[in-house]
Amino acid sequence: MKTLDRFLTPTGAIRAWATVTMLIVGFGLALGLTIGYVQRVDDAAERRNIEREREICGLIVVLDDAYRQIPPATQLGKNIADEIHRYRLRLDC
């Protein structure tokens, strides 16, 4: 019973310092769990973005190689081919 006497008043209420300590620990725990969750979700999103970029790179490489082997006949086709090539260079494919 002596152990509880340090944390409780004679009426059974929790002492002020114990309440403040529990609040600080609770907020710290909630903050730590929130930061961990956000970091985990961010890492998963980054992995998905890298996978999508690889998929897009595959398509851009195929299109760019096709345009380089058989150049388009119209000016619009040349503009598209040039833009795809610039996009390939920007993505480092």
Side-chain angles (χ1 to χ4, degrees):
M1 200 63 165
K2 291 282 188 184
T3 306
L4 287 178
D5 289 344
R6 291 187 300 179
F7 299 104
L8 301 176
T9 63
T11 60
I14 299 174
R15 295 195 185 272
W17 66 267
T19 303
V20 171
T21 302
M22 286 189 309
L23 283 173
I24 291 172
V25 168
F27 280 124
L29 183 62
L31 181 64
L33 290 173
T34 301
I35 290 171
Y37 174 75
V38 168
Q39 183 65 40
R40 188 181 68 174
V41 169
D42 187 47
D43 290 344
E46 184 64 28
R47 280 192 303 275
R48 284 192 308 271
N49 286 339
I50 290 171
E51 289 171 10
R52 287 185 187 133
E53 185 176 304
R54 286 183 189 148
E55 292 171 1
I56 290 172
C57 269
L59 178 63
I60 295 298
V61 166
V62 168
L63 287 173
D64 189 36
D65 290 345
Y67 279 129
R68 294 295 160 207
Q69 289 175 3
I70 305 170
T74 65
Q75 185 59 38
L76 177 61
K78 290 176 185 174
N79 291 345
I80 292 172
D82 290 342
E83 188 60 36
I84 286 178
H85 186 68
R86 280 193 293 275
Y87 191 58
R88 179 180 181 175
L89 294 177
R90 266 187 291 172
L91 291 179
D92 263 348
C93 295

